[in-house]
Every structure is written in C-alpha cells, then in structure tokens.
Amino acid sequence: MMIVVDPGHGGSDSGAVGYGYFEKDINLSVSLKLRDVFKANNVDIILTRDKDVTLGLSERCDIANKNKADYFISIHCNSFKDSSAKGTETYSYPRSISGAKLAKGVQQTIVANLKTIDRGIKTANFYVLHHTNMPAILVELGFITNKEDLDLILNKQNLFAISISNGILNNIGLKQINKSDSIEKLHQMGFISDYYDPESYVKWKDIADALLKIIGG
Ligand SMILES: [Zn+2]
C-alpha cells in the first residue's frame, strides 16, 4: 500500500499566518511525523514535499497519480479573521464515498485524541481532491488564528500524526503497530494523562504526577 501525504503550501506560499507562525511550516512538520508513523507501520509513503519549497497543486496531484497511491492526504491549518473560530474539519471530494469514509475516520480520531472542536466532515471541490485518482482527503488540523488550537498544532504534532495514521489504518482494516504499548497502557490505567511521544523527554512534573498516582498521594 502506498500513501501520499501532502504538506499544504510551502516556499513562497506561506499559507495562513497566525501569531507569527506560518501554516506551511506546521503542515510540513506534522507531515514529517506522519511519515515516521507510517514507516513504523511498514506503509509506503511519499511526501509531495519534504522541505520548504514552492509546489503547484497539479504537481502535488501528479506525484500521487504517477506513483499510483492508494490514498492521498493533504495536511493544512485553518484560519479566520475572528480568532475565536477553532476546531478540526476534514474534507473529501463531493460524492466520493470512499473519500467521505476516510475523512470520517480521520476526523473522529483527531477529535477524540486531541479534544479539538469537531467541525465535522465536509466536501469541497478543492483542486487536490478533484485531480487525484485515489480516495483523497484534506485535513484542517485546527485554526492557526486561534490560541488554543495553535498551542495544540505546535505542541501535539506527534499525537496529530498518530491520530491521522490511526484513522486511515483503521479505515482500511489495519491495526496500527504501536511502538509505545506501555505508554498506552499507563494512559488507560490513568497513571499518565496523555499519549506521550515515546522518543521525547519527560518533564519532572509528569513523572511526579505519575508517581503520586501510583502511590496514591
Ligand atoms: Zn492551507
């Protein structure tokens, strides 16, 4: 199976801007993490860009079509002039049943794990959804113009990546290989409050909180 992940915008096209952050950078960063997660699950993945370069919409579609990808996932952040607008939404092409199913799976997993506002699945005649030959979705992770969403899309990128891959793999009947079963277990047992990135450093506060829970303090 082959998945093409498309970090929206890039190069001279910054995408949306919020609080000094560029959408293109967040899209790329999350997509690189998504590549790691898919690779860990032995899924073939191609990124339409793996650095900060300008890339046209047709080029993005060509990469997916030429490589005969099974799925196309475009990663974006939303923006709005009113900074109170927030939440996650996922798009598929109108009347694409497989696209809508994929969108639903990814949308639900992100909202469940990140606790973002569920703006639902939507359809739109976006270029990359229209001109790709395979089920395609465009994920708006959150609003770069909203402080709470921005905090999540800056600091919980691994969880976004895990959620997106989980949503896709569940949708096609594959179980995600979790490198961090012990973390998952501690989370389910209530000893830790979050899905931690197994490769990241732990803060002393997190260790102290977990220890207190274990000893009942
Ligand atoms: Zn965008």
Side-chain angles (χ1 to χ4, degrees):
M1 189 179 55
M2 151 78 65
I3 293 181
V4 166
V5 172
D6 172 46
H9 314 281
S12 60
D13 170 16
S14 70
V17 183
Y19 302 97
Y21 290 94
F22 294 146
E23 183 195 346
K24 63 173 184 176
D25 297 327
I26 294 168
N27 297 343
L28 177 59
S29 174
V30 170
S31 298
L32 289 170
K33 290 183 167 62
L34 194 46
R35 179 170 68 179
D36 292 342
V37 177
F38 277 129
K39 275 190 174 167
N41 282 275
N42 301 316
V43 173
D44 290 330
I45 168 162
I46 294 175
L47 294 181
T48 55
R49 66 179 180 96
D50 60 4
K51 45 182 161 330
D52 186 21
V53 290
T54 308
L55 195 64
L57 295 176
S58 62
E59 293 169 82
R60 295 168 196 261
C61 299
D62 285 350
I63 291 170
N65 294 338
K66 278 182 186 149
N67 286 287
K68 298 192 167 36
D70 295 290
Y71 299 96
F72 179 87
I73 319 292
S74 193
I75 304 294
H76 286 255
C77 302
N78 230 328
S79 68
F80 197 60
K81 54 184 182 295
D82 179 351
S83 66
S84 68
K86 60 178 176 176
T88 302
E89 58 194 28
T90 306
Y91 288 86
S92 59
Y93 190 64
R95 292 178 300 282
S96 165
I97 291 165
S98 51
K101 195 163 161 266
L102 194 65
K104 192 175 173 197
V106 169
Q107 172 74 15
Q108 285 178 341
T109 321
I110 293 177
V111 169
N113 287 344
L114 275 303
K115 314 277 186 285
T116 48
I117 298 287
D118 185 2
R119 299 174 67 91
I121 56 167
K122 300 178 177 182
T123 60
N125 190 10
F126 293 146
Y127 190 97
V128 293
L129 300 181
H130 189 168
H131 292 92
T132 40
N133 300 333
M134 63 294 305
I137 58 171
L138 186 147
V139 187
E140 299 275 9
L141 304 170
F143 281 70
I144 198 170
T145 43
N146 174 269
K147 271 236 157 83
E148 289 157 65
D149 272 11
L150 179 62
D151 184 54
L152 288 174
I153 54 185
L154 287 176
N155 299 310
K156 298 281 180 181
Q157 296 187 349
N158 272 302
L159 193 49
F160 272 105
I162 288 167
S163 303
I164 293 167
S165 79
N166 243 329
I168 292 163
L169 295 179
N170 284 343
N171 184 67
I172 54 182
L174 288 176
K175 192 179 163 356
Q176 176 150 271
I177 301 165
N178 208 328
K179 283 194 295 181
S180 54
D181 281 344
S182 51
I183 295 175
E184 171 88 32
K185 197 162 187 186
L186 281 177
H187 176 75
Q188 284 170 5
M189 292 167 77
F191 289 128
I192 55 173
S193 60
D194 209 343
Y195 290 96
Y196 286 101
D197 170 8
E199 311 297 332
S200 77
Y201 295 104
V202 180
K203 296 192 184 94
W204 277 108
K205 182 189 174 301
D206 298 326
I207 295 180
D209 285 348
L211 284 174
L212 277 177
K213 276 185 191 148
I214 293 163
I215 63 173

